[in-house]
Amino acid sequence: MMVSSDGDVTVTNDGATILSMMDVEHQIAKLMVELSKSQDDEIGDGTTGVVVLAGALLEEAEQLLDKGIHPIRVADGYQCAAQVAIDRLDQIADSFPVDPKNPEPLIETAMTTLSSKIINRCHRQMAKIAVEAILSVADFDRKDVDFELIKVEGKVGGKMEDTQLVKGVIVDKDFSHPQMPKEVKDAKLAILTCPFEPPKPKTKHHLDVTSVEAYKKLQEYEKEKFDEMVQQVKDTGANLVICQWGFDDEANHLLLQRQLPAVRWVGGPEIELIAIATGGRIVPRFQELSAEKLGKAGIVRELTFGTTKDRMLVIEHCQNSRAVTIFIRGGNKMIIEEAKRSIHDALCVVRNLVRDHRIVYGGGASEIACSLAVSEAADKNPSIEQYAMRAFADALDDIPMALAENSGLHPIKTLAAVKSRQVKETNPRLGIDCLSKGTNDMKEQHVIETLLAKKQQIMLATQLVKMILKIDDIRTDEDKA
């Protein structure tokens, strides 16, 4: 639980979030925060693991320095060991084709990511939603996923099981007039970024109304202009207006009279997403509005929640079904924020599988396999770097040990047993049985991680530790004083 200086409370076990919210003073600790951030930006998952590994490598390096081994030799040894570990990961990696018709392997990988989160109560459902969202927007030819097309919305209230994937856009707005219809079928949307108001001179203007006639004339002119604007929209065949700006009550009343439902004050990013989803064009001036620029949607409906007056608009069955919204429900704001972070991690993992469909097995299995490979390589290395390579192998063991400890098992005993079985059976899929399912084979337990994330973890942690080892002096402004 993190409490900010202004009293905001965040409950999370996401490594990157915890580190980014901590008030860190120490210079090397700041580098650790940057490390988890770069893992989060690049991969989106494995932020805790990368910091644990870097911390273990630094701890091992300290002991080597105490023995009198030069930091450069330690750094070189770490580099050799990291290369051996990455080569070993390539050898033990499995691959499966990413097939939209068979999403089960993707769901299992997303479930592995979500199993350590607070929302693991319904992690199967969340994983399914994440996979469906990615498969809806993925570009399989380019092997890439545009996250701009996936919007994550949350609303307090309801159960987490009520979370759903909407093939369309959800906007946190309602129709501008309470008497407007709550549902528009076969909607043709005019998407406007110009305000519904009479034209004003661009210069500073000052208008004196000296008589009742002049006031009435001005009122008449305004009404005429509003009428003209509404007619322009109606002439194109539009039956729903999405406006970035507001309009006053007179325009609102006129829109109701002319049976033209409207939504006002829709934000910039949401306007863009609606335009992408419905295949419409954003229109900056009324004069440019035409039938070709209208967006099309099967249905636009208003959602209401419980006894509160909260309303949201759902735009579904769009022309371009590639824009989707994950709509999260939960008991309180903290749960929803944590669910958003967890869903982001799951989305990133599935995106990585679309990019590179090779996987390794989790539960510490890949770390143990790498540790054994590095130890073996260290024995064959004739130079002094072999000490650093053995230290690297010991540091890799810290992750399965932490897993065993967090699962309530005896860390050293469990690790020793699994390690000896991996050597005996030459089976790199054996890991820590955290959930006591009776088997250590992670393939049978469906504990899957992406190869991309594991490689990135080892490379980033090694690079950071090498950089720290090469620091021989620290100068601050206080020293000058």
Side-chain angles (χ1 to χ4, degrees):
M1 184 188 280
M2 311 288 288
V3 184
S4 67
S5 50
D6 51 358
D8 283 344
V9 177
T10 306
V11 178
T12 181
N13 66 349
D14 179 56
T17 308
I18 293 169
L19 286 172
S20 64
M21 293 180 78
M22 280 167 71
D23 191 13
V24 178
E25 290 284 321
H26 197 279
Q27 289 81 359
I28 300 298
K30 282 179 182 169
L31 293 177
M32 287 288 195
V33 175
E34 287 295 316
L35 173 69
S36 79
K37 190 176 181 302
S38 57
Q39 175 79 8
D40 197 37
D41 292 347
E42 188 63 29
I43 300 294
D45 187 37
T47 48
T48 317
V50 75
V51 175
V52 169
L53 182 57
L57 286 171
L58 285 172
E59 210 175 307
E60 295 290 339
E62 190 183 16
Q63 291 174 20
L64 293 173
L65 296 178
D66 289 345
K67 283 180 182 172
I69 299 172
H70 195 277
I72 297 291
R73 305 304 293 269
V74 176
D76 290 347
Y78 277 180
Q79 184 59 51
C80 295
Q83 196 51 56
V84 171
I86 284 164
D87 293 343
R88 180 65 178 146
L89 283 175
D90 282 329
Q91 287 167 17
I92 64 172
D94 271 3
S95 74
F96 56 79
V98 175
D99 182 8
K101 294 188 184 77
N102 177 29
E104 195 55 40
L106 294 172
I107 293 170
E108 284 170 3
T109 314
M111 280 168 66
T112 304
T113 302
L114 293 171
S115 59
S116 64
K117 310 287 182 197
I118 291 171
I119 64 163
N120 66 354
R121 186 163 53 95
C122 45
H123 67 316
R124 166 95 200 173
Q125 181 196 350
M126 292 290 187
K128 211 170 177 182
I129 286 171
V131 170
E132 272 183 52
I134 292 285
L135 292 178
S136 301
V137 304
D139 183 342
F140 289 106
D141 298 332
R142 279 177 45 233
K143 288 196 167 184
D144 201 14
V145 176
D146 185 1
F147 271 3
E148 295 291 314
L149 297 172
I150 301 173
K151 188 174 174 229
V152 183
E153 273 285 344
K155 197 78 178 169
V156 174
K159 306 190 296 290
M160 196 169 279
E161 284 83 354
D162 297 338
T163 298
Q164 56 180 315
L165 178 73
V166 177
K167 295 282 177 78
V169 185
I170 291 184
V171 188
D172 198 359
K173 299 282 174 232
D174 55 354
F175 288 113
S176 59
H177 198 290
Q179 286 176 306
M180 282 177 181
K182 302 294 177 217
E183 196 173 278
V184 179
K185 287 186 176 172
D186 296 323
K188 292 185 176 69
L189 292 84
I191 304 165
L192 306 173
T193 54
C194 44
F196 256 96
E197 58 184 31
K200 292 175 183 162
K202 290 278 184 272
T203 55
K204 284 188 179 177
H205 57 283
H206 186 70
L207 183 67
D208 286 327
V209 179
T210 51
S211 64
V212 176
E213 286 77 23
Y215 181 75
K216 280 186 176 169
K217 203 173 175 186
L218 182 67
Q219 199 177 17
E220 206 55 47
Y221 169 76
E222 280 198 0
K223 192 164 185 261
E224 200 180 298
K225 274 292 170 193
F226 280 140
D227 238 340
E228 202 179 296
M229 286 172 180
V230 174
Q231 194 54 48
Q232 269 180 321
V233 175
K234 291 278 280 187
D235 288 347
T236 60
N239 57 3
L240 176 63
V241 177
I242 305 280
C243 189
Q244 188 172 10
W245 301 100
F247 32 83
D248 59 17
D249 291 342
E250 196 175 342
N252 205 6
H253 177 64
L254 196 65
L255 285 163
L256 178 70
Q257 271 186 334
R258 303 293 290 275
Q259 294 179 340
L260 187 61
V263 184
R264 55 183 164 183
W265 300 119
V266 180
E270 288 165 335
I271 281 259
E272 285 174 22
L273 206 59
I274 292 169
I276 292 167
T278 59
R281 295 279 295 278
I282 296 170
V283 181
R285 281 189 290 276
F286 278 97
Q287 292 80 0
E288 293 178 19
L289 193 59
S290 63
E292 302 83 64
K293 292 181 180 176
L294 298 180
K296 292 178 180 65
I299 186 168
V300 178
R301 58 192 174 89
E302 203 174 74
L303 286 178
T304 51
F305 301 100
T307 55
T308 61
K309 290 192 173 66
D310 278 354
R311 292 186 179 90
M312 283 177 128
L313 278 183
V314 185
I315 302 168
E316 286 179 298
H317 308 156
C318 300
Q319 191 178 1
N320 174 12
S321 61
R322 286 189 64 210
V324 296
T325 305
I326 297 171
F327 186 46
I328 297 171
R329 304 300 309 277
N332 57 43
K333 194 171 166 227
M334 281 182 289
I335 285 285
I336 285 176
E337 288 306 313
E338 180 63 8
K340 279 185 183 177
R341 283 189 286 269
S342 306
I343 283 277
H344 172 261
D345 281 10
L347 289 171
C348 287
V349 164
V350 183
R351 190 260 322 254
N352 293 338
L353 279 174
V354 171
R355 283 181 174 176
D356 180 354
H357 48 71
R358 288 177 298 167
I359 51 136
V360 290
Y361 293 96
S366 50
E367 280 89 355
I368 294 169
C370 288
S371 168
L372 289 167
V374 171
S375 296
E376 201 179 312
D379 293 339
K380 294 173 188 169
N381 192 321
S383 65
I384 203 165
E385 276 89 356
Q386 61 168 282
Y387 288 98
M389 290 174 81
R390 283 199 194 93
F392 193 96
D394 290 345
L396 281 169
D397 288 343
D398 268 32
I399 291 175
M401 275 171 79
L403 271 175
E405 198 170 341
N406 292 343
S407 309
L409 306 168
H410 191 289
I412 299 169
K413 196 174 166 187
T414 312
L415 176 66
V418 174
K419 223 172 178 181
S420 68
R421 274 190 65 192
Q422 268 210 26
V423 175
K424 260 187 228 162
E425 299 170 30
T426 59
N427 181 359
R429 299 191 301 271
L430 296 174
I432 309 295
D433 181 16
C434 298
L435 301 173
S436 304
K437 288 193 174 175
T439 173
N440 287 89
D441 195 324
M442 293 296 126
K443 193 171 185 177
E444 286 173 31
Q445 285 206 27
H446 304 299
V447 180
I448 306 167
E449 293 187 61
T450 58
L451 175 67
L452 215 59
K454 270 287 171 258
K455 277 176 150 181
Q456 189 78 6
Q457 259 186 8
I458 291 174
M459 286 193 290
L460 282 177
T462 310
Q463 280 169 13
L464 179 80
V465 173
K466 275 174 66 186
M467 189 176 77
I468 292 168
L469 282 168
K470 289 178 182 179
I471 297 170
D472 61 350
D473 203 355
I474 298 172
R475 286 270 172 266
T476 61
D477 289 343
E478 291 158 22
D479 296 345
K480 293 171 191 172

